[in-house]
Amino acid sequence: MPELPEVNRATNLINRIAKGRIIERVETVDDPIVFTGTTHEEFAEELTGRTVESAERYGKVFYLNLSGPGRMPVLHFGMTGMLQVKGELATYYKETPKSASTDWPPRFMKFILHLSDSQAGGTTQLAFLDARRLGRIRLCQTPLTEPPISDLGFDPILSMPSIEEFELLVLKRSCPIKALLLDQSFSAGVGNWVADEILYNARVHPEQRSNTLTNEQLAALHHQTANVCQIAVAVDADDSKFPENWLFKHRWGKGKKAAHDLKLPTGAPATIKWITVGGRTSAYVAELQTVGGPAKKLGRGKRKAKEDEEGDENDLASATDSEGPRDKETKSVPLSPSFRRPVFGKQPNVK
């Protein structure tokens, strides 16, 4: 599913296509599952006639700042959500399938914004698509202070906590570190491939329990959580521009016996293995990521998860400690002002 880098790419697309344009008309389809807390008619009525001032992102959620009175559209892709500009192919999560089309209106569309430019003239159409109906479309008065964004943890680009705060948040949990990274109330925007990339670069096994991490491992995790996201965002989620030594370049061959050329620092071939952690298929390098400290068995035989790399992932689901209830004290650690969400959600320029 689209993760922080891909959602950031979507906000860049909106700013390129829609910023400064007036929403002349909104086409919608009736979908009470995807439209949450509002109807498709109400959504269209509230957006029509307003100017798109900017698009912003927090975690995997993005929203439009619109001129004038009224609520703002707050959007979440879910597993298969995407944007498409009329005349262009949609922005797919991983690779564009051969069946992709520029037919209009696009299949599985939930709404289309008809955007006009009062100065240059002409119109542009921007569509939101969702084939599996796991995305969500909302209206919020102040997106950063209302659910779903207000329920999220830190954003690795926008509000990365200090190392001291990060250590407190991690060490008070006993769940596997991969499950914690996937918990959106802990690190907003980190999904399956980003979490695996963070753990690989930090040299931490996905099954290692959070409260067993050493100071060195915590420091590496803190650095790589921000670093992986910054690198991916800097190239607009274009995976062809990701570093060649990233696990991402080699992790997709599970079940196909595909060869890979990932090398260890010694130059020897790396061994990529797959396990299920936090309900997701997790890739790791056996020679570099070993479990330190006690690692309890996760009982995978009793609760076998889908082995599909693109399997279901509930962005609002939380990590569990030994498969029990989520630690409700996770958010009780005092945080410095640097952790708080930025007032306008602005993102730094990453060189």
Side-chain angles (χ1 to χ4, degrees), residues 89 92 95-101:
L89 292 174
Y92 286 84
E95 58 184 343
T96 302
K98 294 180 180 179
S99 60
S101 170

Side-chain angles (χ1 to χ4, degrees), residues 76 138 148 151-152 183-185 313-318 326:
H76 176 241
R138 298 175 171 89
D151 293 332
L152 299 176
D183 183 349
Q184 297 301 292
S185 70
E313 178 181 327
N314 181 356
D315 279 337
L316 299 182
S318 299
R326 183 174 69 85

Side-chain angles (χ1 to χ4, degrees), residues 7-69:
V7 177
N8 198 81
R9 178 181 62 194
T11 63
N12 289 341
L13 172 64
I14 296 172
N15 283 320
R16 175 173 61 87
I17 293 297
K19 189 173 182 178
R21 290 179 177 261
I22 300 170
I23 302 173
E24 283 192 338
R25 185 164 65 92
V26 183
E27 288 183 61
T28 60
V29 297
D30 185 11
D31 192 327
I33 294 177
V34 177
F35 285 92
T36 303
T38 187
T39 64
H40 71 106
E41 297 100 336
E42 185 180 28
F43 180 83
E45 181 180 356
E46 195 139 1
L47 270 60
T48 301
R50 299 166 72 185
T51 300
V52 179
E53 296 182 340
S54 66
E56 307 287 351
R57 177 199 59 77
Y58 194 93
K60 300 181 188 180
V61 181
F62 62 109
Y63 58 96
L64 275 61
N65 289 313
L66 303 181
S67 65

Side-chain angles (χ1 to χ4, degrees), residues 145-162:
T145 63
E146 299 176 40
I149 293 179
S150 62
D151 293 332
L152 299 176
F154 66 83
D155 183 294
I157 296 289
L158 300 174
S159 56
M160 188 68 194
S162 68

Side-chain angles (χ1 to χ4, degrees), residues 14 30 42 55 71 78 93 103 123 171 214 223 231 263 268 292 323 329 335 344:
I14 296 172
D30 185 11
E42 185 180 28
R71 293 172 292 176
Y93 168 46
D103 291 347
T123 60
L171 291 175
T214 66
H223 171 70
I231 291 173
K263 297 292 191 296
E323 304 309 314
E329 297 181 358
L335 299 172
F344 299 107

